[in-house]
């Protein structure tokens, strides 16, 4: 074996850097060039993942003249740019892809969501009923009113019952005085509770 062999370069104190550089890379693919091809350049459209190996000078020359869209018409270039917005994946207009909208079995998967949203919207417009306390329920029972009664309905009922049970309206008969006290107390409870 000769001392000039490249096998000895890896164990030499001062290996030949130029020879190691040439041996580590393929030769430049430009015609007539023997320098190492240290730089990759794409081969072109429809050959993605394939590269030429050029030296520095030739890769610069190649990059100046490289055009990915060379040979394509204007309409093809526009459609390529448009498709690149979605990563060249297929897309559909709203309502076109019926199987995706309704599911593979023909059932509209969004129907339940729509129904729930409509139900929630209807509940949002309805005023919320607060829970009645026992004293408030008893007061409404004394006035013979439903638990949903409010404002003018309570006042009208109160006036009606006071006229019926007042001693002056009964010719001075005091037998209905206890009933009148209950009615007045019930009205005051509802008034303090904010029903009026």
């Amino acid at each position: 074996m000769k001392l000039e062999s490249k096998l000895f370069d890896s164990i030499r104190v001062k290996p030949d850097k130029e020879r190691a550089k040439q041996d580590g890379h393929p030769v430049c693919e430009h015609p007539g060039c023997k320098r190492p091809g240290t730089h990759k350049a794409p081969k072109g459209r429809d050959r993605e993942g394939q590269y030429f190996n050029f030296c520095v000078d030739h890769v610069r020359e190649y990059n100046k003249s490289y055009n990915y869209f060379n040979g394509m018409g204007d309409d093809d270039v526009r459609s390529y740019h448009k498709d690149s917005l979605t990563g060249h994946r297929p897309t559909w207009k709203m309502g076109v892809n019926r199987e995706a909208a309704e599911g593979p079995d023909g059932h509209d998967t969004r129907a339940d969501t729509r129904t729930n949203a409509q139900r929630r919207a209807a509940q949002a417009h309805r005023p919320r009923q607060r829970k009645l306390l026992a004293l408030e329920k008893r007061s409404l029972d004394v006035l013979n009113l439903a638990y949903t009664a409010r404002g003018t309905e309570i006042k009208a009922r109160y006036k009606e019952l006071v006229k019926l049970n007042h001693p002056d309206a009964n010719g001075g008969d005091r037998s209905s005085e206890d009933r009148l006290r209950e009615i007045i107390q019930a009205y005051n409870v509802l008034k303090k509770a904010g029903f009026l």
Side-chain angles (χ1 to χ4, degrees), residues 35-190:
R35 293 191 304 194
T38 56
H39 300 282
K40 289 183 174 183
K43 287 192 175 183
R45 189 177 62 250
D46 299 328
R47 291 169 46 182
E48 280 80 10
Q50 298 176 11
Y51 300 96
F52 292 116
N53 292 308
F54 289 127
C55 62
V56 175
D57 295 331
H58 291 126
V59 82
R60 283 184 188 147
E61 182 183 321
Y62 180 81
N63 285 342
K64 285 180 184 176
S65 64
Y66 180 74
N67 182 2
Y68 183 82
F69 300 107
N70 191 21
M72 288 178 77
D74 290 340
D75 293 334
D76 295 334
V77 172
R78 266 190 237 106
S79 68
Y80 180 87
H81 283 296
K82 184 180 177 187
D83 290 344
S84 70
L85 294 173
T86 59
H88 301 286
R89 289 187 223 92
T91 58
W92 295 272
K93 292 181 181 175
M94 292 294 289
V96 173
N97 189 0
R98 176 171 263 182
E99 185 174 323
E102 294 181 354
D105 58 353
H107 174 69
D108 188 359
T109 55
R110 294 174 287 183
D112 297 334
T113 307
R114 273 190 232 109
T115 305
N116 290 339
Q118 290 168 353
R119 183 178 42 81
R120 282 193 302 272
Q123 286 178 347
H125 296 301
R126 193 173 36 203
R128 205 170 196 185
Q129 300 291 330
R130 75 176 182 92
K131 191 172 180 181
L132 296 176
L133 301 174
L135 192 57
E136 294 167 351
K137 285 182 182 179
R138 186 176 168 277
S139 299
L140 288 169
D141 287 338
V142 167
L143 297 176
N144 286 331
L145 290 170
Y147 293 147
T148 58
R150 297 289 183 267
T152 55
E153 190 178 355
I154 294 173
K155 283 183 183 179
R157 186 66 171 175
Y158 170 72
K159 288 179 183 179
E160 180 186 338
L161 290 174
V162 166
K163 285 179 185 176
L164 285 173
N165 293 303
H166 198 276
D168 291 342
N170 293 324
D173 185 17
R174 294 184 162 249
S175 61
S176 60
E177 260 185 28
D178 291 334
R179 173 80 175 128
L180 181 63
R181 274 193 208 105
E182 280 183 354
I183 292 168
I184 293 171
Q185 282 179 337
Y187 180 77
N188 289 335
V189 165
L190 294 174

